[in-house]
Amino acid sequence: MRRTVAALALLAGFALVGSAFYLTRSLAPAPVVAPPEGARERATVVSVTDGDTLVVSPVEGRRRGREQRVRLIGLDAPETLPRPRCWARESTSALQRLVPRGSTVTLAFDRRRFDDHRRQLRYVWTASGEFVNARQLAEGNAVVLRVRPNVAHAEEFARLERQARAARKGLWGSCPDRRPPSRPSVVSGPAAHLAHSGLPGDP
């Protein structure tokens, strides 16, 4: 009898350790990935438009001091206009905390630098080195939007989205119809970054 109780206790201990390991992996922080050499630029944050768009002012180069709109590569956050979608305010607030007004960020481009609205398509890092695009996905503040040819971090972004969804973080635990079947996983073509992604809560 004592051996049976001891065996059951040992099995329960293994189960707890396994659950803790799985939870730790599921809630792992977004990776710190250094911006690539030769493809980076520094800028000051002017404002945050929504969870995937901000306005910056370059601090160096020929565009120094000229405000530029930046669209984060690899993700799509709920729209704030004409009316806020589910999790739009939370996603925008999260980005404002990551890159507050007046802070300095590092931008890096991929193969395509601008979308059809002349917004810069960029990966963004905070002054402390946090990868902003990855963080928004890891916290469930956006969904993956994989757009060729800008797919340098596509696999990592997809993994972070899966983890956020499994943990029901952010919009994954708060918005209905978390992944509508109409949402494309890969978009290509000249107007790719303007495509609607079927975000949770969208009609």
Side-chain angles (χ1 to χ4, degrees), residues 177-201:
D177 303 321
R178 293 185 295 278
R179 184 183 288 275
S182 61
R183 177 185 156 214
S185 58
V186 179
V187 185
S188 60
H193 267 280
L194 304 180
H196 173 63
S197 65
L199 284 161

Side-chain angles (χ1 to χ4, degrees), residues 21-184:
F21 176 74
Y22 175 79
L23 184 60
T24 301
R25 290 191 64 186
S26 297
L27 302 180
V32 176
V33 180
E37 293 287 347
R40 63 172 98 180
E41 51 201 355
R42 292 190 307 128
T44 300
V45 176
V46 176
S47 63
V48 170
T49 305
D50 55 30
D52 58 35
T53 308
L54 59 152
V55 177
V56 303
S57 176
V59 298
E60 54 198 2
R62 60 185 179 83
R63 292 193 301 271
R64 180 179 179 180
R66 295 169 55 188
E67 292 186 3
Q68 308 283 329
R69 291 188 70 200
V70 172
R71 176 68 158 77
L72 301 183
I73 296 174
L75 60 145
D76 198 8
E79 298 296 331
T80 57
L81 298 174
R83 61 180 179 83
R85 303 294 190 183
C86 181
W87 208 253
R89 293 188 179 93
E90 293 85 350
S91 177
T92 303
S93 295
L95 187 56
Q96 289 171 335
R97 289 192 297 272
L98 276 171
V99 288
R101 182 177 181 180
S103 62
T104 300
V105 294
T106 298
L107 313 176
F109 52 82
D110 206 324
R111 294 180 63 185
R112 187 180 182 206
R113 301 192 185 191
F114 295 90
D115 67 10
D116 291 352
H117 282 183
R118 298 302 297 170
R119 293 179 299 185
Q120 295 186 30
L121 302 175
R122 297 290 189 268
Y123 302 108
V124 179
W125 284 262
T126 67
S128 63
E130 186 162 15
F131 193 6
V132 174
N133 307 56
R135 174 57 60 190
Q136 283 291 82
L137 289 166
E139 295 299 324
N141 293 317
V143 298
V144 166
L145 181 62
R146 183 175 180 177
V147 182
R148 296 190 180 102
N150 291 353
V151 293
H153 297 282
E155 297 306 316
E156 185 64 30
F157 288 174
R159 183 183 67 82
L160 292 172
E161 184 193 73
R162 288 194 301 270
Q163 291 180 343
R165 186 178 62 209
R168 297 180 61 81
K169 300 184 74 173
L171 58 83
W172 299 110
S174 302
C175 300
D177 303 321
R178 293 185 295 278
R179 184 183 288 275
S182 61
R183 177 185 156 214

